[in-house]
Amino acid sequence: MSIAIAEKNNSVSKLKWERSDSVWTMGLYATAVGAGTLFLPITVGSNAPIILLFILLAAFPLSYYSHRALSRFVLSSSHREGDITHVVEEHFGPRAGKLLMLVYLMAFYPIILVYSISITNAIESFMVHQMGGAMVSRGWLVLAVMLGLHLILLTGKQVVVSAISVLALPMIAFLLGISFYLLPQWSLSYFTESQAVDWRDPAVWKSLWLIVPVMVFSFSHAPIISSFTAAQKKRCHVSAHMRSQRIIKWSSLLICGSVLFFVISCVMSLSQAEMALARTDNISVLSALANKFSNPLIAYVGPLIAILAMSKSFLGTSMGVNEGTVSMVSGACRGLGLSLGEVTIARVSSVILFVVTGVITYLNPNVLNIIEKVSGPLIAVILFLLPAYAIYRLPALKGYRGASTLFVMVVGLLAISALIYDLI
């Protein structure tokens, strides 16, 4: 098995790069880079420089190895179009499959709620404060937002991936544009104002430990990996492993490169006091920059880019949530003795998601604490622990055992333990 894998890895570079590879690369990027990206500089900037150094060193391996392991796990299914539901049921049984889908929905559905609420509030704020318009009825605004997003979802997987890949381009341009724009504002105050690191101080190790779940959330594009891998398996069964690995590698490089440059530029343009104030006020780094520099471009373009960023992340995350919802509805129908076709089940699932998401978005609850304390550890379970456990448990994945898989398992355990500690 290991010889075959080595041969496949050596052949990755020989595969012809196709247009669909670029589309999927942008799709993975679009799912990862969203609202979390706009808050990551606040987290880094309000901590010591050792946190920035740690993120610079760990971001790529954390992103690449974990998503590659999850993709390998999905590819281990004998189904030609099998997604994560099929592979879990195949290897661990129907009960494990149902449990995973429950965890899947609990982890990623609250993220959809955060995006839908944030998109609605951002549009409302932009119309009132930037455009000088009157307050719009929240009910009609929520309906318009939900219809727009769900109509895109109903067009099919490939159209959704194409849409979010297109939406990714403005986000990349904006992140790089802001990062370069801030270059003249760079200062070493972030480093000079900080005290020297005392490795004997438990607080240093605690801060490094607690930053792990933040990184997991910020660089995660796990919701789309199942759909992405299943599509590669359907498209090119023999070379699916090689194509998936290469696309994940390039998307991770693109994600880490643009996001880390953005983080560095923001951290070196704002003082620790300004970052700490932004954290207290619960505002994104774009708002903090606008407050400091009073730049009209940031004030007007920033909200629009934020809306685009959250919209594409909503679409990418919804692909994974749709899989889980379809699986749960299908299981419920079987339990009730109902015989419904796949198309009907998919439509019922879409209606359920539309109604529930719309109602909660209209109510406008504060769900950030739920995301941090519920979704975080469950994402780590799916993205890190599940594929690592499968690789060490299943003979078919034996060839993938090694340092990278061990790294994935350790990071998963650190993320979960850090968040549990935060809850206590």
Side-chain angles (χ1 to χ4, degrees), residues 23-72:
V23 172
W24 275 110
T25 299
M26 290 294 99
L28 268 59
Y29 179 94
T31 305
V33 181
T37 304
L38 304 180
F39 283 91
L40 183 59
I42 302 295
T43 303
V44 175
S46 56
N47 281 285
I50 188 63
I51 297 297
L52 175 60
L53 178 61
F54 177 73
I55 290 179
L56 290 175
L57 294 175
F60 176 74
L62 182 148
S63 175
Y64 174 55
Y65 289 137
S66 59
H67 293 91
R68 185 183 67 173
L70 183 59
S71 178
R72 286 173 169 176

Side-chain angles (χ1 to χ4, degrees), residues 21 28 49 68 171 176 180 187 205 211 234 239 327 350 362 391 409:
D21 297 337
L28 268 59
R68 185 183 67 173
M171 188 65 183
L176 294 178
F180 281 112
S187 168
W205 296 101
I211 200 64
K234 179 182 179 181
S239 60
S327 176
S350 297
Y362 175 77
I391 288 173
M409 181 174 289

Side-chain angles (χ1 to χ4, degrees), residues 4-25:
I5 292 172
E7 290 176 351
K8 286 182 178 181
N9 289 335
N10 292 333
S11 303
V12 170
S13 60
K14 298 179 182 179
L15 286 175
K16 180 182 178 181
W17 186 270
E18 300 178 359
R19 180 181 177 277
S20 61
D21 297 337
S22 299
V23 172
W24 275 110
T25 299

Side-chain angles (χ1 to χ4, degrees), residues 322-371:
N322 281 340
E323 287 182 6
T325 307
V326 168
S327 176
M328 296 296 288
V329 172
S330 178
C333 289
R334 287 196 300 267
L336 295 172
L338 300 175
S339 180
L340 299 179
E342 292 183 2
V343 175
T344 304
I345 291 176
R347 289 175 178 173
V348 171
S349 301
S350 297
V351 170
I352 292 174
L353 284 177
F354 179 89
V355 173
V356 175
T357 305
V359 170
I360 297 178
T361 302
Y362 175 77
L363 294 175
N364 196 24
N366 186 342
V367 295
L368 291 179
N369 288 333
I370 299 176
I371 295 300

